[in-house]
Amino acid sequence: MNENAESLFDTDSRHSWNIQRFLSYHCKQSSAVLIHSILISIIQRFTPEILRKGIHGDTMTENGCEYRERVLTMDTMNPNVKRVEYAVRGPIVQRAVQIERELKMGIKKPFTEVIRANIGDCHAMGQKPITFFRQVLALCSYPDLLEDGKFPEDAKSRARRILQACGGGSLGAYSTSQGIEMIRQDIARYIERRDGGITCDPDNIYLSTGASDAIVTMLKLLVSGEGMSRTGVMISIPQYPLYSATLAELGAVQISYYLDEDNCWSLDISELRRALQEAKKHCSPRALCIINPGNPTGQVQSRQCIEGVIRFAAAEKLFLMADEVYQDNVYADGCKFHSFKKVLFEMGLEYSEKVELASFHSTSKCYMGECGFRGGYMEVVNLDPEVKVQLTKLVSVRLCPPVPGQALLDVVVNPPQPDEPSYDTFIKERTDTLATLAEKANMTQEILNQVPGIKCNPVQGAMYTFPRIHLPPKAILEAKEKEQTPDMFYCMKLLEETGICLVPGSGFGQRDGTYHFRMTILPPKEKLKIVLAKIKEFHQHFMAQYS
Amino acid sequence: VKGPSVEKCGQMRFITAEAKASAGRLEGKLREKTLTLDTLNPQVKAVEYAVRGPIVIKAGEIERYLEEGGTKPFSEVIKANIGDAHAMGQKPITFLRQVVALCTFPELMDSPSFPEDAKRRARRILQGCGGHSLGSYSASPGVECIRKDIAAYIEQRDEGVPSDWENVYLTTGASDGIMTILRLLVSGKDSSRTGVMIPIPQYPLYSAAISEMDAVQVNYYLDEDNCWALDINELHRSYQAAKQHCQPRVICIINPGNPTGQVQSKKCIEEVLHFAYEENLFVMSDEVYQDNVYAPDCQFHSFKKVLYEMGPEYFNSVELVSFHSTSKGYTGECGFRGGYMEVINMDPEVKAQMVKLLSVRLCPPLAGQAAMDVIVNPPQPEEHTFKQFHQEKSSVLGALAEKAKLTEKILNAVPGIKCNPVQGAMYAFPRIFIPPKAVEEAKALGMQPDMLYCLRLLEETGICVVPGSGFGQKDGTYHFRMTILPSIEKLKVLLGKVRDFHIGFLKEYSGLE
């Protein structure tokens, strides 16, 4: 066992060891076990949590018995797992959880609550669910409610329709692995409406457990080869760390292309070309991932840029993966969401029959913010039919995506229509949520840009700001001494002093020597103002301290 | 009335997936696709999952054909291929659905038609959710109060054996947990590559995951002549044989058995744990059918409890993960994808790695977590809803027990079918005699004999069962897996049809001599 871990669990190990030693000296084994369990349950009840932990774990080397090595240790574990990093829920978030516990225990802090601006978790930040969606889901979960007069007819008719498509009329039945067929048809029609009539085949839709699940699945299909021919996947830097984490786990080669911070984080085709040429020397680049609107960078791609990307992918025979989960989150004037699918098809047969594309969507973002339901889908275009058979087989091993998430997705793509009773409320709720987000996007950018040493691009879309922070050399030195990246050092300090939990830019990738953090714009307006003011104050103080 | 000939069955199967595929190959060449069968991740190619394999795809096609007005010698397809209780007409437990509905639409808290017990639970769950909404992400290991409820439930189930809630991780169905643990365990190259011991017959999630991760599958055979019991000598044999070419590091146990329905005795579990202890194996115990025990002389023993009772040298050292799910038991809530695993003696550093790995997928679905919470924290005798809950639960389990018996009895009355008692779980896995002529014909068609049998059964009766070859079986033996889930009336009809089909099949292929 590693030394740190040993010392960490020292107290409890010894604690348990004493009991066992006592027992093995004084009792017959069978009654020893009995007494041991009694003792343990007594200890369980009367010792603090920290002592409890080790009793039935972590005691191996000191349990008075012969040494037995663990099967699964850091040395024997899948080495790819070790390489996985996922900053959005990384060390800083773990520390935030600890601080929350400390606050609960009554430990004094310079703040009263932890504000989690690390993750795009809308409802946790007080955003209200869309009433209509939840009504339909409640009806599906407990169909007795279909007799309840309080539920509007349009919600009931949708719930009935969904249940009819479920095995045994129940959300509790498995669906087909690709997702409920009727819901796939609804999604296809939704995509057609969104894309101005470009056809969408329901057979190309795969429902998923959140968009993450589908992204991982597609990457899994794409990874092959050894050495020079190992699959390389191009991802933006900064990126959403699901991509880097998955590539690490699959043992694929990450090819970084840098977004242009000085140009509103826009994507530059010549940078794509540079990254690709370089990568070709040591791997086989086969896929290009785009996040639009950008996470964590918030830019919204222009149509022209998307065309450039598609041309590039076609020329270089790259599989395109378009992460479009923020497609409804566009705030900036003059910006508009263009789906890759639509642009691809408008570029003519030469492209639309050739370029392989998977695009991803989710119930977690946009105005829904229903993260917990883990609903999502992907549309595949031009996927080789043989590969599609393989894809269907692969997803079937996991049986099916959660059916409540599928039901939710169905309502998202099939919302109340103008002639239906729930329409007005629905539109009002949706508009309010999106308008508030737009306002917060603006406000965040404005306030942060007033702080000397912080520079923030406009939040054109998505749910985050990714400002650049200037860190004094002295702070960088101190971070190095602590073996932290400088922006981790900064964010940790911010957390300890203000209770605000952000994610350091290093978790998303950034140009060497630049530092950022990602923060969500999701807290309610009043709270967001306070958060931003606190950051401002902290930053000024930080600068003063280290200059 | 006779269905299409076997040749036609075979052809039709090829028409679906294969023909589509060969057309694609042509197109693929023309378009020079990036992702083709040649460039696809080879491990993905190696994956097989019979429970939703070709026979199920075929069943789907027939269903569509019937819907479109086509005619067959039957009016509906009966999917006895998968343990999908609600699809087979089992009703959800009212209380569970009430709690989920309340959590989903909290305005219902004001509704007098919902019982206070359900409201209390829903409030408690929502309090554990960010922003009091099922729509927020939970911590990656799951909602804290639900983990605590699960730990308390395990302690109660195991008669006081302590369970630490921080060892409990919610999952997206049990499958997700099983995959996660296997992903941690697979490493090494060539003869040091991780070997995973799995029972044969097995639930094909295991073989599929092993293929996908490119680990080495190490088969140990269950003893069909002895009610599919696990024989410790067979474990030794299999382990020793595997050691020649890989490093066996894990043993997977499914108890009660899927597809084999046996319930392990306490003695047998002790032997397995001792074996794991001696050979330094990580133990994965799939206990999703723990509430599904029907045989009066059988009882479910959790690996955790047995390990604990074996004394400190065992329970302080053997690494064990056990899995549970909302999909089976008496709830049958497959669609919610709820489940959990409890890890014991896992290296703390590895645990941190696991949490990191789980966090990439953010969290298991909250509705599934809520359903899990109700299962581990059901109405208590002093609560108003207890009576109805208890009645619903007993009626589901009672019917399953009856169907388990009925299935075994009827199948065993058919000449050429031999079925072990369905002691637990949800399936019968009878051995079927397939005449040499039929075996030959299958070989000529390039398919497994039991695949041919099941395809014919499907074409002629509309009954969809899974060939034994999808689960693994001793060479030269043939089986199928069928669920015992259809309603008693339907099950009787179904078994009658299987009997008639089997007799006809035997006649056809013996008479041809």
Side-chain angles (χ1 to χ4, degrees):
Chain A
M1 199 196 276
N2 170 299
E3 267 183 25
N4 286 336
E6 183 111 62
S7 60
L8 197 73
F9 291 90
D10 215 341
T11 349
D12 23 317
S13 308
R14 204 143 297 153
H15 195 65
S16 167
W17 174 66
N18 284 336
I19 304 165
Q20 282 153 25
R21 195 173 57 165
F22 167 80
L23 291 170
S24 56
Y25 278 119
H26 300 280
C27 314
K28 276 191 191 162
Q29 211 214 24
S30 57
S31 52
V33 173
L34 188 74
I35 296 175
H36 183 269
S37 50
I38 294 167
L39 277 178
I40 279 190
S41 59
I42 294 169
I43 292 162
Q44 287 257 310
R45 226 139 285 178
F46 297 108
T47 50
E49 205 154 279
I50 196 152
L51 279 180
R52 261 186 251 165
K53 261 199 218 159
I55 289 170
H56 32 277
D58 324 320
T59 55
M60 171 185 74
T61 54
E62 300 187 40
N63 62 12
C65 307
E66 71 181 280
Y67 182 84
R68 180 181 181 272
E69 225 176 297
R70 280 198 164 94
V71 180
L72 184 56
T73 65
M74 286 301 276
D75 294 332
T76 62
M77 190 182 72
N78 180 345
N80 287 345
V81 169
K82 232 173 290 182
R83 285 192 275 272
V84 168
E85 277 181 39
Y86 189 68
V88 174
R89 296 204 158 189
I92 199 131
V93 184
Q94 282 160 24
R95 177 67 193 134
V97 173
Q98 265 176 13
I99 291 179
E100 268 176 348
R101 279 191 199 152
E102 288 168 15
L103 283 172
K104 256 190 211 162
M105 285 159 66
I107 296 176
K108 277 255 171 313
K109 301 265 174 196
F111 48 87
T112 54
E113 61 162 342
V114 170
I115 299 173
R116 298 211 195 177
N118 61 299
I119 190 166
D121 193 356
C122 311
H123 292 194
M125 285 287 120
Q127 185 181 309
K128 290 278 155 275
I130 299 287
T131 308
F132 185 74
F133 294 168
R134 292 303 189 91
Q135 284 173 331
V136 174
L137 285 177
L139 288 160
C140 288
S141 304
Y142 190 56
D144 288 14
L145 290 171
L146 288 166
E147 311 304 320
D148 190 319
K150 288 200 203 76
F151 282 80
E153 255 333 296
D154 44 358
K156 286 185 186 173
S157 69
R158 279 187 187 54
R160 269 190 216 103
R161 197 164 157 269
I162 292 167
L163 289 176
Q164 244 151 40
C166 293
S170 167
L171 280 196
Y174 291 120
S175 76
T176 57
S177 304
Q178 203 175 341
I180 294 171
E181 189 169 335
M182 180 210 83
I183 298 181
R184 285 192 279 125
Q185 287 164 355
D186 286 353
I187 292 171
R189 277 195 294 268
Y190 165 82
I191 293 175
E192 285 176 356
R193 281 196 305 273
R194 181 197 70 187
D195 290 344
I198 291 162
T199 55
C200 175
D201 181 351
D203 271 350
N204 287 340
I205 305 290
Y206 287 77
L207 284 117
S208 57
T209 308
S212 309
D213 172 45
I215 292 169
V216 173
T217 302
M218 274 323 296
L219 287 173
K220 218 181 257 176
L221 295 181
L222 280 158
V223 173
S224 67
E226 291 296 333
M228 281 279 293
S229 69
R230 189 72 181 159
T231 296
V233 178
M234 302 185 71
I235 61 172
S236 59
I237 296 294
Q239 52 116 20
Y240 174 55
L242 166 70
Y243 292 92
S244 50
T246 308
L247 296 177
E249 202 197 323
L250 295 172
V253 181
Q254 172 178 328
I255 305 170
S256 305
Y257 66 87
Y258 289 84
L259 300 176
D260 185 358
E261 180 162 17
D262 295 332
N263 204 356
C264 257
W265 294 114
S266 71
L267 192 162
D268 178 11
I269 302 293
S270 61
E271 167 61 11
L272 285 183
R273 212 162 280 132
R274 180 206 62 77
L276 184 81
Q277 290 316 323
E278 212 149 282
K280 274 181 174 169
K281 291 176 201 153
H282 60 269
C283 70
S284 165
R286 295 176 61 212
L288 168 56
C289 303
I290 306 279
I291 313 172
N292 176 47
N295 174 7
T297 39
Q299 83 285 12
V300 177
Q301 284 187 336
S302 70
R303 195 193 157 91
Q304 194 197 355
C305 173
I306 294 174
E307 282 177 11
V309 171
I310 291 174
R311 248 179 251 118
F312 176 77
E316 301 292 348
K317 296 201 181 66
L318 294 171
F319 192 105
L320 264 178
M321 292 178 54
D323 179 339
E324 303 180 325
V325 300
Y326 297 98
Q327 56 188 268
D328 292 335
N329 298 107
V330 176
Y331 317 119
D333 287 339
C335 285
K336 193 178 164 231
F337 170 73
H338 302 276
S339 80
F340 265 75
K341 162 102 181 284
K342 178 165 191 247
V343 177
L344 177 66
F345 276 73
E346 287 173 355
M347 284 169 73
L349 291 181
E350 186 193 343
Y351 294 98
S352 68
E353 285 197 337
K354 189 163 138 196
V355 176
E356 294 151 80
L357 167 72
S359 62
F360 306 91
H361 198 14
S362 156
T363 58
S364 306
K365 310 299 168 188
C366 299
Y367 62 95
M368 303 79 85
E370 295 279 14
C371 311
F373 282 87
R374 314 306 298 120
Y377 73 79
M378 67 173 164
E379 182 191 10
V380 293
V381 176
N382 289 324
L383 192 65
D384 183 299
E386 279 182 306
V387 174
K388 215 162 137 193
V389 172
Q390 296 287 323
L391 168 62
T392 308
K393 178 189 75 179
L394 188 65
V395 295
S396 76
V397 180
R398 293 291 196 96
L399 299 167
C400 69
V403 179
Q406 296 190 44
L408 174 61
L409 197 50
D410 189 59
V411 205
V412 170
V413 299
N414 188 12
Q417 296 306 303
D419 54 344
E420 291 184 308
S422 305
Y423 182 74
D424 292 341
T425 314
F426 168 74
I427 290 295
K428 186 180 176 309
E429 289 177 351
R430 185 178 74 177
T431 316
D432 283 356
T433 303
L434 288 175
T436 313
L437 283 171
E439 206 179 322
K440 291 192 278 195
N442 237 318
M443 186 167 94
T444 305
Q445 170 205 339
E446 224 166 78
I447 298 182
L448 285 178
N449 274 330
Q450 287 163 10
V451 186
I454 296 189
K455 200 178 153 285
C456 177
N457 269 322
V459 183
Q460 298 173 335
M463 295 179 169
Y464 315 95
T465 175
F466 195 68
R468 181 159 170 186
I469 44 176
H470 174 72
L471 299 181
K474 235 171 106 181
I476 295 173
L477 261 176
E478 193 171 323
K480 277 192 184 138
E481 274 162 29
K482 291 192 164 173
E483 293 184 351
Q484 283 177 337
T485 59
D487 46 12
M488 172 65 88
F489 175 73
Y490 179 93
C491 290
M492 271 295 184
K493 226 165 142 51
L494 177 74
L495 174 65
E496 295 290 348
E497 291 178 21
T498 65
I500 299 169
C501 178
L502 308 176
V503 192
S506 46
F508 303 88
Q510 53 201 354
R511 281 203 187 269
D512 276 351
T514 70
Y515 305 107
H516 302 78
F517 60 75
R518 184 184 87 162
M519 107 173 225
T520 69
I521 57 164
L522 295 173
K525 240 184 300 170
E526 287 319 302
K527 207 175 216 172
L528 186 61
K529 265 185 204 156
I530 298 170
V531 169
L532 290 166
K534 276 185 168 184
I535 291 177
K536 185 173 170 182
E537 196 187 331
F538 168 82
H539 189 80
Q540 282 163 344
H541 182 91
F542 186 91
M543 294 299 276
Q545 189 185 349
Y546 287 99
S547 300
Chain B
V1 193
K2 215 173 153 256
S5 70
V6 175
E7 285 89 336
K8 208 168 164 208
C9 278
Q11 276 168 4
M12 281 166 81
R13 193 188 144 222
F14 289 113
I15 285 166
T16 58
E18 309 283 332
K20 233 188 207 173
S22 61
R25 185 169 283 171
L26 239 180
E27 280 172 277
K29 281 225 172 88
L30 287 174
R31 288 181 191 163
E32 290 178 78
K33 284 190 193 292
T34 305
L35 184 56
T36 65
L37 210 51
D38 294 332
T39 61
L40 177 79
N41 182 340
Q43 269 99 61
V44 169
K45 231 179 293 180
V47 166
E48 277 181 38
Y49 189 67
V51 174
R52 296 207 156 186
I55 195 119
V56 184
I57 295 170
K58 179 87 212 150
E61 281 164 21
I62 295 179
E63 258 182 344
R64 231 166 290 149
Y65 174 74
L66 287 173
E67 266 168 33
E68 285 159 9
T71 51
K72 288 274 170 192
F74 48 87
S75 57
E76 62 163 339
V77 171
I78 302 175
K79 292 200 181 169
N81 60 299
I82 190 165
D84 193 355
H86 290 197
M88 285 288 119
Q90 184 181 308
K91 291 279 156 275
I93 298 291
T94 307
F95 185 74
L96 186 149
R97 291 305 189 86
Q98 285 173 331
V99 174
V100 173
L102 285 160
C103 288
T104 306
F105 192 56
E107 277 88 332
L108 291 170
M109 297 285 183
D110 302 328
S111 161
S113 44
F114 281 78
E116 220 20 76
D117 314 342
K119 289 181 186 171
R120 204 165 38 244
R121 279 177 185 70
R123 259 183 231 116
R124 188 155 167 279
I125 293 168
L126 288 178
Q127 235 137 49
C129 296
H132 300 171
S133 166
L134 277 196
S136 54
Y137 292 120
S138 74
S140 303
V143 175
E144 191 171 310
C145 76
I146 299 179
R147 296 169 77 194
K148 286 178 176 160
D149 287 350
I150 293 170
Y153 165 81
I154 295 173
E155 278 188 15
Q156 199 188 6
R157 180 198 69 189
D158 292 343
E159 294 167 341
V161 176
S163 170
D164 182 346
W165 68 270
E166 291 192 90
N167 286 338
V168 173
Y169 296 83
L170 276 299
T171 55
T172 308
S175 308
D176 173 46
I178 292 167
M179 296 276 245
T180 302
I181 297 297
L182 285 175
R183 264 149 84 201
L184 293 173
L185 280 159
V186 175
S187 68
K189 288 222 181 296
D190 305 323
S191 67
S192 70
R193 190 74 180 158
T194 297
V196 182
M197 299 184 71
I198 60 170
I200 296 294
Q202 51 115 21
Y203 174 56
L205 165 69
Y206 291 93
S207 50
I210 290 167
S211 299
E212 196 192 311
M213 295 169 202
D214 207 12
V216 181
Q217 175 174 327
V218 179
N219 295 337
Y220 64 88
Y221 289 84
L222 300 176
D223 184 359
E224 181 162 17
D225 296 332
N226 201 359
C227 253
W228 295 114
L230 193 161
D231 176 12
I232 205 74
N233 296 321
E234 169 59 12
L235 285 187
H236 283 290
R237 181 208 60 77
S238 141
Y239 177 81
Q240 292 306 332
K243 258 173 97 177
Q244 319 284 328
H245 60 272
C246 71
Q247 196 184 345
R249 294 174 64 211
V250 205
I251 178 164
C252 303
I253 308 280
I254 313 173
N255 177 45
N258 174 8
T260 39
Q262 84 286 12
V263 177
Q264 283 188 333
S265 70
K266 190 169 165 188
K267 181 170 161 284
C268 174
I269 295 173
E270 280 172 355
E271 285 174 349
V272 171
L273 286 169
H274 181 71
F275 170 76
Y277 174 83
E278 290 281 304
E279 304 294 0
N280 225 25
L281 294 170
F282 192 103
V283 181
M284 293 175 61
S285 84
D286 178 339
E287 303 179 327
V288 300
Y289 297 99
Q290 55 188 268
D291 290 330
N292 300 103
V293 175
Y294 317 117
D297 51 339
C298 288
Q299 197 201 327
F300 170 74
H301 302 277
S302 80
F303 267 66
K304 161 103 181 283
K305 179 166 184 249
V306 175
L307 182 67
Y308 200 82
E309 288 170 352
M310 284 168 75
E313 69 269 39
Y314 292 94
F315 74 74
N316 276 337
S317 72
V318 175
E319 294 150 81
L320 167 69
V321 182
S322 60
F323 304 91
H324 198 12
S325 156
T326 59
S327 306
K328 311 300 168 187
Y330 55 92
T331 50
E333 295 284 10
C334 311
F336 282 86
R337 312 307 298 122
Y340 74 78
M341 59 184 172
E342 184 188 17
V343 302
I344 293 152
N345 288 323
M346 186 180 265
D347 183 304
E349 283 183 293
V350 173
K351 223 166 157 185
Q353 295 287 320
M354 182 175 78
V355 172
K356 179 187 73 179
L357 199 57
L358 293 174
S359 73
V360 179
R361 292 293 194 97
L362 299 166
C363 70
L366 267 291
Q369 294 192 45
M372 196 74 238
D373 191 56
V374 183
I375 291 174
V376 298
N377 186 14
Q380 296 305 303
E382 68 276 14
E383 290 182 304
H384 284 297
T385 45
F386 180 75
K387 210 176 132 204
Q388 189 189 355
F389 168 78
H390 188 71
Q391 187 262 321
E392 290 178 356
K393 176 179 165 178
S394 331
S395 120
V396 170
L397 289 176
L400 283 171
E402 196 180 331
K403 293 188 274 194
K405 264 196 114 155
L406 183 82
T407 307
E408 175 202 343
K409 208 175 99 196
I410 298 183
L411 287 177
N412 273 330
V414 185
I417 296 189
K418 201 179 153 287
C419 181
N420 269 322
V422 183
Q423 298 173 334
M426 295 179 168
Y427 317 95
F429 194 69
R431 181 159 169 186
I432 45 177
F433 172 71
I434 297 185
K437 265 259 150 61
V439 174
E440 261 168 49
E441 189 171 321
K443 276 189 186 140
L445 287 165
M447 61 171 85
Q448 293 290 335
D450 47 13
M451 172 65 90
L452 173 109
Y453 181 95
C454 292
L455 272 172
R456 283 281 306 264
L457 178 70
L458 174 64
E459 281 289 347
E460 293 176 26
T461 65
I463 298 168
C464 178
V465 298
V466 191
S469 45
F471 303 87
Q473 54 201 354
K474 278 216 156 122
D475 276 351
T477 69
Y478 305 108
H479 302 79
F480 63 77
R481 184 185 87 162
M482 75 170 263
T483 69
I484 57 165
L485 295 173
S487 64
I488 290 183
E489 285 321 300
K490 212 174 212 174
L491 188 62
K492 274 187 192 154
V493 175
L494 187 152
L495 290 165
K497 282 182 169 185
V498 170
R499 182 187 54 215
D500 295 346
F501 166 81
H502 187 81
I503 293 169
F505 187 86
L506 286 189
K507 250 187 213 151
E508 182 186 337
Y509 285 98
S510 311
L512 286 174
E513 306 267 342

